[in-house]
Every structure is written in structure tokens, then in C-alpha cells.
């Protein structure tokens, strides 16, 4: 438990530090001048990281760029990961049907074992041993968020639990913690 709290604290501190610095101009320069799609993809997801909670429209744009770039290069796991990020923004923009569509594609890509070899070595997939399962855990997590917004508590709980189960299976404390936090919030809301 102590390790989880330390990881959460480090995650929050690094996010605050990054947000205070603002988006480096160098990322925009890389995004605008990159010739290689893998470099362009990495710049797009870094810019997405910056905008994720600050500007939904910008975050959506860069998530979509990640989807387009990875699909064009047959990097199916990057595509699944980017689709879950795109769906997160679609949920927050109230585009629930679009989010469901993105998530269904992400599920089909991340559940397919034959896609294990189709990815770019870019964070977070770079350091994940079980890249496909990481993308699948993220997809379950965002699907649960969609279920929260559409007031489907049963499916919300099922998918947060599945996201957590996969995170524990692949030994990813951050993903496990996020699922646990959301499950705890649900149970508190319903006095369980």
C-alpha cells in the first residue's frame, strides 16, 4: 500500500511540475517538422498529455492524430491506446456514441493476440512488458468512465474491476491504483 501511495504522490508531483512549465515549444516544432511518423506520433501523444485535462478540443485533436498515424503505419497497439485516449475526450465532450465506437475498435485491436508485434517503442508501451494488456486495461478503464457518464453502474463496476485485474496481472501499480480509486468512489457513492 505504501508503494502505491508513493507512486501516486510522484505522479501528481510530476503532473503539477509539467503543467506549471507549460507545453514546450520544442514539442510543437517537432510535431510540425517531423518527417518520420513514429516521431510525429510521439510528439502528438506528448502534446495530448499536456492538454488532456486542460483543453478537451486540443487533446481530442492530438489523440485523433495518434489514431491516424498509428493506423496508417499498422501499429495496432498504439492505435488501440490512442483510441482509448480519444474516447476519453469524446466522453468528456458529451459525444458518447463516438466514444463507444472508438472503444469498440480499441477492444478489437487490444484483445487480438496477433497484434502483439504491431507497435512503436514509445511510452507508455515502450516500458510495458505486456503492451497489449496495457492497452486493454486502458480501454476497459475508459469504457467504465463512459458507463459512469451514461449511468450504467453495473457495467461501470465490471469494467473498472477488469481494468484493475489486468493491471495487477501485468504488475502496473499506476493502472491498478486508478481503477481502485474509481471503484472506491463508486462504493462510497452507494454507501457500500
Amino acid at each position: 500500500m505504501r508503494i502505491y501511495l508513493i507512486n501516486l504522490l510522484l505522479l501528481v508531483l510530476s503532473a503539477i511540475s509539467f503543467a506549471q512549465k507549460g507545453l514546450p515549444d520544442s514539442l510543437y516544432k517537432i510535431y510540425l517538422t517531423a518527417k518520420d511518423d513514429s516521431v510525429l506520433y510521439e510528439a502528438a501523444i506528448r502534446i495530448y498529455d499536456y492538454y488532456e485535462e486542460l483543453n478537451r478540443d486540443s487533446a481530442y485533436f492530438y489523440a485523433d492524430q495518434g489514431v491516424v498515424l498509428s493506423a496508417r503505419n499498422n501499429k495496432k497497439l498504439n492505435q488501440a491506446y490512442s483510441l482509448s485516449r480519444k474516447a476519453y475526450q469524446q466522453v468528456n465532450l458529451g459525444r458518447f456514441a463516438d466514444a463507444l465506437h472508438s472503444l469498440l475498435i480499441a477492444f478489437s485491436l487490444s484483445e487480438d493476440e496477433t497484434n502483439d508485434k504491431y507497435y512503436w517503442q514509445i511510452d507508455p508501451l515502450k516500458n510495458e512488458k505486456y503492451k497489449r494488456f496495457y492497452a486493454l486495461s486502458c480501454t476497459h478503464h475508459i469504457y467504465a468512465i463512459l458507463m459512469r457518464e451514461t449511468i450504467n453502474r453495473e457495467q461501470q463496476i465490471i469494467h473498472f474491476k477488469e481494468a484493475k485485474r489486468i493491471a495487477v496481472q501485468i504488475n502496473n501499480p499506476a493502472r491498478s491504483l486508478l481503477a481502485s480509486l474509481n471503484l472506491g468512489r463508486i462504493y462510497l457513492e452507494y454507501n457500500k
Side-chain angles (χ1 to χ4, degrees):
M1 179 66 174
R2 187 175 186 188
I3 292 173
Y4 291 129
L5 292 175
I6 291 170
N7 284 338
L8 178 62
L9 179 62
L10 291 174
L11 183 67
V12 169
L13 289 175
S14 66
I16 290 170
S17 170
F18 184 68
Q20 288 175 342
K21 292 177 187 172
L23 182 63
D25 288 337
S26 59
L27 270 178
Y28 276 126
K29 288 178 185 172
I30 291 169
Y31 182 80
L32 294 173
T33 61
K35 303 267 189 270
D36 185 81
D37 279 353
S38 67
V39 174
L40 188 57
Y41 175 84
E42 186 166 16
I45 66 169
R46 296 288 161 251
I47 295 170
Y48 171 91
D49 288 340
Y50 176 77
Y51 284 123
E52 185 175 48
E53 300 298 337
L54 295 176
N55 183 318
R56 299 285 179 205
D57 292 325
S58 293
Y60 173 83
F61 174 81
Y62 288 104
D64 189 52
Q65 291 301 297
V67 172
V68 169
L69 289 163
S70 52
R72 179 168 63 206
N73 289 275
N74 199 34
K75 304 301 182 186
K76 296 182 186 287
L77 296 183
N78 299 90
Q79 184 181 358
Y81 177 68
S82 294
L83 278 163
S84 69
R85 298 174 121 206
K86 179 179 175 179
Y88 179 67
Q89 296 308 321
Q90 290 168 322
V91 167
N92 285 297
L93 291 167
R95 301 177 192 158
F96 301 142
D98 293 337
L100 177 61
H101 179 72
S102 295
L103 289 165
L104 291 175
I105 297 169
F107 274 125
S108 71
L109 293 170
S110 58
E111 289 174 340
D112 186 347
E113 293 178 15
T114 62
N115 290 335
D116 276 340
K117 58 187 174 189
Y118 300 108
Y119 63 90
W120 278 311
Q121 284 280 359
I122 296 170
D123 284 327
L125 299 180
K126 179 179 182 179
N127 297 322
E128 280 297 321
K129 181 177 179 183
Y130 303 102
K131 294 158 180 47
R132 185 173 60 81
F133 289 110
Y134 182 86
L136 183 58
S137 178
C138 293
T139 304
H140 277 288
H141 189 94
I142 303 306
Y143 189 84
I145 291 172
L146 173 62
M147 293 299 99
R148 178 184 69 208
E149 295 302 312
T150 57
I151 313 171
N152 187 336
R153 181 176 34 148
E154 181 181 324
Q155 286 298 308
Q156 180 185 3
I157 291 170
I158 288 169
H159 285 277
F160 276 133
K161 283 184 176 180
E162 184 63 9
K164 180 173 178 58
R165 185 193 68 75
I166 294 168
V168 168
Q169 177 186 335
I170 64 173
N171 192 28
N172 189 300
R175 295 252 33 105
S176 176
L177 179 64
L178 286 171
S180 293
L181 288 169
N182 281 284
L183 285 166
R185 182 191 43 75
I186 295 167
Y187 293 135
L188 278 173
E189 286 175 1
Y190 295 101
N191 295 320
K192 289 189 175 185

